[in-house]
């Protein structure tokens, strides 16, 4: 493990930095109602209903709050992916990817793209979400097994213009640059496309967050898989999302199946650990040792800072541990509740409006509403 970058001074952090990073009383603005498939349920994120980490989302696309248009000066110790630098965090889901994102932010690497940040794009740039949906379609070959004839039956989360006879199964550098060129790092969703990203950004440093395979399998099953495939998730995917025109949870499930290379949850559980080990073996084989850091949560700041060529934060700054299983389950359940409520409103809104209109007309005519109701319907 070595690094050629010169040491860059890490800005001093206030003692209450964790409260600043994770505000409890701020929520992103609600988007306007839309039937866009990914506006309300974006890729591996939650609908707009949960209290998100506003500061971290701002860090992902830094803007000067005084002018709202002047970018914040780049003080990152690494260059962007588009400038042949950057950091690829290719650890699997549920291995501490959000904790690593937060740690990179603390070290001054501000533009780190994590799956949770995509929830902020729905209102301002929904087309960007559709481009990421296309990335999943193109770069996960098993999608063609799940949807062998997409022109007749395509996934609801995929725009029609992205369905073609093209058999390309990997983005090239230009396609990835349209999504990642201005970022210093990508985490979480990056684990879906390790070969493609390493090929597109061969000079990027790679951080591979690792954990015990048995604990990882239990965490995956207890959070992402059970939430999406249990009866509430199945109800949302099969009934609520087709009604609302949003397919965020359907996409979650399709992406997981395509990544594991299976068609159902039983087969997925049978290959948890095999997929985990195969993923890490593939990354190790593709990345030169001097560009690779294998990291376990609990290793502290030392290995990470040495790898990136940055000084360690002060002794009062602990390595962050965020997004545990309990909070993720809560976040996903809130997203399902939002989708179910929206679907319920679609079902009942017309009867409710007709009932309200009848009440108003009856009142305008001087008719005793409850007397008429008893005479007509309670006889």
């Amino acid at each position: 493990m070595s690094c050629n970058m010169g040491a860059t001074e890490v800005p001093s952090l206030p003692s209450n930095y964790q409260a600043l990073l994770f505000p409890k009383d701020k929520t992103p603005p609600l988007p306007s109602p839309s039937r866009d498939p990914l506006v309300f349920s974006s890729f591996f994120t939650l609908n707009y209903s949960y209290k998100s980490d506003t500061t971290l989302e701002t860090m992902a696309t830094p803007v000067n709050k005084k002018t709202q248009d002047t970018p914040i000066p780049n003080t990152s110790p690494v260059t962007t992916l588009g400038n042949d630098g950057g950091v690829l965090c290719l650890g699997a889901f549920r291995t501490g990817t959000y904790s690593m994102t937060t740690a990179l932010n603390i070290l001054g690497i501000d533009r780190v793209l994590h799956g949770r940040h995509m929830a902020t794009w729905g209102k301002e740039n929904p087309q960007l979400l559709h481009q990421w949906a296309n990335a999943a379609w193109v770069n996960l070959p098993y999608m063609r097994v799940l949807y062998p004839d997409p022109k007749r039956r395509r996934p609801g989360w995929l725009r029609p213009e992205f369905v073609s006879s093209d058999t390309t199964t990997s983005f090239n550098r230009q396609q990835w640059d349209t999504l990642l060129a201005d970022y210093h790092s990508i985490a979480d969703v990056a684990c879906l496309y390790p070969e493609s990203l390493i090929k597109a950004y061969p000079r990027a440093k790679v951080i591979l967050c690792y954990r015990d395979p048995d604990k990882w399998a239990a965490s995956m099953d207890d959070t992402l898989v059970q939430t999406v495939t249990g009866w509430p998730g199945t109800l949302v995917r099969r009934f609520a999302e087709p009604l609302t025109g949003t397919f965020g949870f359907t996409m979650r499930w399709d992406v997981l199946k395509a990544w594991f290379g299976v068609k159902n949850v039983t087969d997925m559980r049978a290959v948890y650990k095999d997929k985990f080990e195969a993923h890490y073996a593939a990354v190790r084989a593709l990345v030169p040792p001097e560009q690779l850091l294998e990291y376990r949560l609990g290793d502290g700041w030392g290995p990470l800072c040495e790898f990136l060529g940055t000084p360690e934060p002060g002794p009062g700054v602990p390595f962050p541990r965020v997004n545990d299983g309990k909070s993720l389950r809560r976040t996903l359940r809130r997203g399902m509740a939002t989708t179910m409520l929206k679907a319920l409103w679609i079902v009942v809104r017309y009867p409710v409006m007709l009932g309200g209109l009848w009440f108003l007309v009856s009142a305008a005519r001087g008719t005793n509403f409850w007397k008429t109701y008893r005479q007509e319907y309670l006889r």
Side-chain angles (χ1 to χ4, degrees):
M1 180 182 67
S2 63
C3 184
N4 296 325
M5 299 179 187
T8 302
E9 183 179 356
V10 178
S12 59
L13 294 169
S15 58
N16 64 335
Y17 83 96
Q18 288 179 310
L20 295 175
L21 282 174
F22 307 107
K24 301 295 185 182
D25 57 347
K26 294 182 180 180
T27 58
L30 288 172
S32 302
S34 170
R35 290 185 64 82
D36 192 292
L38 295 177
V39 166
F40 275 83
S41 299
S42 55
F43 176 59
F44 262 90
T45 59
L46 204 222
N47 305 2
Y48 277 78
S49 61
Y50 73 98
K51 292 188 177 181
S52 58
D53 305 321
T54 308
T55 303
L56 289 182
E57 289 163 357
T58 305
M59 289 178 179
T61 52
V63 174
N64 189 319
K65 290 185 177 297
K66 292 183 178 179
T67 64
Q68 293 297 318
D69 56 8
T70 305
I72 295 173
N74 178 20
T75 58
S76 172
V78 302
T79 57
T80 60
L81 289 163
N83 287 325
D84 290 328
V87 179
L88 301 175
C89 299
L90 299 181
F93 303 116
R94 308 306 303 148
T95 59
T97 59
Y98 203 44
S99 296
M100 179 58 67
T101 296
T102 309
L104 294 177
N105 291 154
I106 292 172
L107 293 176
I109 303 174
D110 48 10
R111 278 170 273 176
V112 184
L113 177 61
H114 189 279
R116 290 185 64 169
H117 297 146
M118 295 181 183
T120 64
W121 297 346
K123 181 180 179 181
E124 298 177 358
N125 195 350
Q127 184 59 32
L128 195 56
L129 292 177
H130 293 296
Q131 291 173 4
W132 276 102
N134 185 42
W137 174 255
V138 172
N139 292 280
L140 294 172
Y142 202 79
M143 284 290 185
R144 284 10 181 241
V145 178
L146 299 177
Y147 297 94
D149 191 358
K151 290 187 177 180
R152 286 191 174 185
R153 177 181 171 266
R154 64 177 174 83
W157 45 265
L158 187 68
R159 295 288 290 270
E161 59 264 31
F162 293 134
V163 177
S164 68
S165 57
D166 185 7
T167 57
T168 302
T169 57
S170 179
F171 268 19
N172 56 35
R173 171 63 181 268
Q174 183 179 2
Q175 290 170 302
W176 279 123
D177 272 351
T178 61
L179 298 172
L180 297 173
D182 294 330
Y183 286 96
H184 297 117
S185 180
I186 177 174
D188 186 58
V189 294
C191 74
L192 297 170
Y193 324 113
E195 295 90 348
S196 183
L197 287 170
I198 292 169
K199 183 178 179 180
Y201 303 107
R203 297 183 181 179
K205 291 183 173 293
V206 175
I207 297 175
L208 201 56
C209 292
Y210 187 85
R211 70 184 298 186
D212 178 80
D214 290 312
K215 293 181 179 179
W216 176 82
S219 178
M220 278 290 295
D221 194 78
D222 193 41
T223 53
L224 293 174
V225 176
Q226 284 192 22
T227 303
V228 176
T229 62
W231 72 262
T234 302
L235 187 66
V236 168
R237 288 186 291 109
R238 294 186 179 179
F239 301 102
E241 289 192 331
L243 278 173
T244 61
T246 62
F247 296 93
F249 286 95
T250 301
M251 185 175 181
R252 287 177 177 88
W253 182 224
D254 284 347
V255 167
L256 283 175
K257 288 187 293 185
W259 189 57
F260 279 99
V262 297
K263 293 185 177 181
N264 56 65
V265 68
T266 302
D267 292 344
M268 184 178 293
R269 285 171 174 151
V271 299
Y272 275 157
K273 290 191 284 187
D274 290 341
K275 173 62 182 178
F276 183 82
E277 296 293 3
H279 172 78
Y280 283 83
V283 174
R284 293 181 187 116
L286 291 168
V287 181
E290 64 274 12
Q291 289 179 235
L292 177 65
L293 171 66
E294 296 199 35
Y295 186 92
R296 288 175 180 259
L297 288 185
D299 287 349
W301 289 109
L304 179 62
C305 293
E306 180 185 351
F307 182 66
L308 297 175
T310 62
E312 295 186 29
V317 182
F319 197 94
R321 292 186 70 97
V322 293
N323 199 33
D324 60 14
K326 183 178 180 180
S327 65
L328 179 59
R329 286 192 299 273
R330 182 169 58 247
T331 294
L332 292 170
R333 287 167 182 166
R334 287 178 180 174
M336 289 190 293
T338 300
T339 305
M340 286 298 298
L341 288 173
K342 188 180 178 187
L344 181 63
W345 171 242
I346 290 173
V347 171
V348 305
R349 59 182 175 180
Y350 292 115
V352 168
M353 286 189 290
L354 288 174
L357 181 62
W358 177 47
F359 178 83
L360 292 174
V361 171
S362 298
R365 291 182 176 180
T367 304
N368 187 316
F369 174 81
W370 295 112
K371 180 179 179 180
T372 304
Y373 178 82
R374 289 194 297 270
Q375 291 175 345
E376 296 294 331
Y377 298 99
L378 301 180
R379 289 182 297 181

